[in-house]
Amino acid sequence: MTTITIDAAGIHYTPLNKQIRQAVRDGVSEIILKNVMGQRFIGDGLIGNVKITIHGVPGGDLGMFMKGPTIEVFGNADHAPGNTMDEGTIIIHGASGDATAHSMRGGKVFIRDDIGYRGGIHMKQYQDKRPVLIIGGTAKAFLGEYMAGGLVIMFRMQDEEPYAEMGLASGIHGGEIFIRGSVEEWTLGIGSSARPATSEDIDRIKSFIFEFSQYYGIDPAKLMNSSYTRIAPVSARPFAGKYTWE
């Protein structure tokens, strides 16, 4: 097992990413990045079992098109971590920006704290690939917009009030969202429906509850003993009535 450390202070994202790719080609198993401050595209398109540990704040599109690696961030992340990710795991010990897990099609993204707007937009799944986005805090408007598949779980650990952000799952036509606690009815977007999660539903997501708790050193009892709301599509074609078909 080979580990290297790269000091990213003052390095433009292009040469930084070239160093990362070269390390992967050389067979390095873990890359530790220190002093990261806004460098974009880290881990993009990487394939394999390498782990990238980031200290700092990575820029946009962290892990985009990634297929296999694990990225762990000790800090916040900018917009769209996990964008179109195919396989692998991203673990963020902080918050992330807008469009987290945008068009994600496989793997898992864990956010300890909050995310911005349009989290999980256009997530999709195919055959045995089912992307998973797990949020420890809360999310801004349009969570799960146009979801075509996958799973979103939001724990809202610091907030016991009903979730109330507009456009929740607007245009959803596949996949499902679980939100800890209740959801204000007016927040539901076009094509989405909500109901209390059943014990069978909780059984299906409990492995992710334990995985989340393990990453962040949290007692899973509170999350396991909570009630959840399940949001799912009303149909596979929520906007069919808005078009004219010959």
Side-chain angles (χ1 to χ4, degrees), residues 81-231:
N83 183 359
T84 325
M85 191 170 85
D86 195 57
E87 290 178 43
T89 304
I90 296 176
I91 306 157
I92 296 174
H93 295 261
S96 67
D98 296 341
T100 296
H102 187 314
S103 301
M104 187 180 170
R105 59 194 185 192
K108 294 177 283 189
V109 173
F110 294 85
I111 311 294
R112 188 191 66 190
D113 300 331
D114 301 338
I115 69 171
Y117 292 86
R118 290 190 158 87
I121 182 174
H122 216 316
M123 285 174 65
K124 61 201 75 175
Q125 65 188 67
Y126 178 69
Q127 295 183 350
D128 62 340
K129 286 192 174 181
R130 188 191 192 204
V132 179
L133 167 63
I134 303 183
I135 307 152
T138 191
K140 292 295 186 181
F142 298 104
L143 175 68
E145 186 179 31
Y146 306 132
M147 272 183 70
L151 171 66
V152 175
I153 305 172
M154 186 165 63
F155 294 128
R156 303 181 72 239
M157 295 186 65
Q158 305 303 321
D159 195 345
E160 302 299 330
E161 296 297 320
Y163 180 68
E165 288 281 351
M166 67 181 294
L168 174 59
S170 180
I172 186 173
H173 52 283
E176 56 187 347
I177 300 171
F178 288 90
I179 296 178
R180 180 175 164 270
S182 59
V183 172
E184 291 280 3
E185 186 174 353
W186 66 264
T187 69
L188 294 174
I190 295 172
S192 65
S193 63
R195 64 161 173 79
T198 65
S199 58
E200 290 79 10
D201 291 328
I202 303 305
D203 282 342
R204 289 192 293 108
I205 67 171
K206 69 179 181 181
S207 64
F208 300 113
I209 293 175
F210 283 108
E211 188 173 1
F212 175 90
S213 300
Q214 182 180 8
Y215 287 141
Y216 302 118
I218 295 168
D219 183 353
K222 176 181 177 179
L223 301 180
M224 284 298 300
N225 295 328
S226 295
S227 62
Y228 289 81
T229 301
R230 179 181 182 267
I231 293 91

Side-chain angles (χ1 to χ4, degrees), residues 6-22:
I6 300 173
D7 188 345
I11 301 178
H12 186 269
Y13 68 83
T14 299
L16 176 62
N17 285 315
K18 286 182 177 180
Q19 289 186 54
I20 293 169
R21 291 180 183 280
Q22 186 60 54

